[in-house]
Amino acid sequence: MLTRTVIAAALVAAGIAATPSAAYAASASFTPERVCGKDFKRVNDGHRAMKTRDGAVFGHVYLMYSKRSGKNCVAAIKTAYVGARTVTGASIEVKGGGKAEDAQKYRYYAETPHVDGAWKCVRYSGWTRDPDNRVKAWGGRTSWGNCKG
């Protein structure tokens, strides 16, 4: 018991806490529903991790759909380098329809403009990079899917 108390006191003195960092807490507050809007819901097979070639996860990309408006949205939400402005992007393509993309240096997420897609197949992607712009993490679906609107 004394050992645990001494270790806890040492951690507090060193400034080490068991709480998540502020950057992680900020990214955790961004959900795909919050990013795309209140009418948008996650679709089946509409989530992928954004991974590097080595398998490191830098974030997640979500395909969202609003039954009310018949529009799609893609949110690419970072989990690595959160708070740092890094190239982050999201894209969507509707089969026989429109395309949308958003890519800039963002701190937390990228979001596509809302695209008409009721009863049409879509493919989507999201990506982000490290601060030195050397390592890219990508996720998404290159084949057509979610065709039932």
Side-chain angles (χ1 to χ4, degrees), residues 4 7 13 17 19-20 28 39 47 63 71-72 74 77 86-87 93 98 109 115 126 129 146:
R4 271 194 243 160
I7 292 171
T19 58
D39 289 335
H47 170 246
L63 173 63
K71 294 186 182 282
N72 291 288
V74 174
I77 302 174
T86 64
V87 174
E93 181 179 3
Y109 65 87
V115 178
R129 292 182 171 268
N146 298 93

Side-chain angles (χ1 to χ4, degrees), residues 4 18 41 51 54 58 65 82 86 89 92 111 115 134 138 147:
R4 271 194 243 160
K41 307 289 183 221
K51 295 181 181 180
D54 296 333
F58 280 16
Y65 181 72
V82 176
T86 64
I92 186 168
E111 171 199 9
V115 178
R134 292 184 185 156
W138 183 93
C147 304

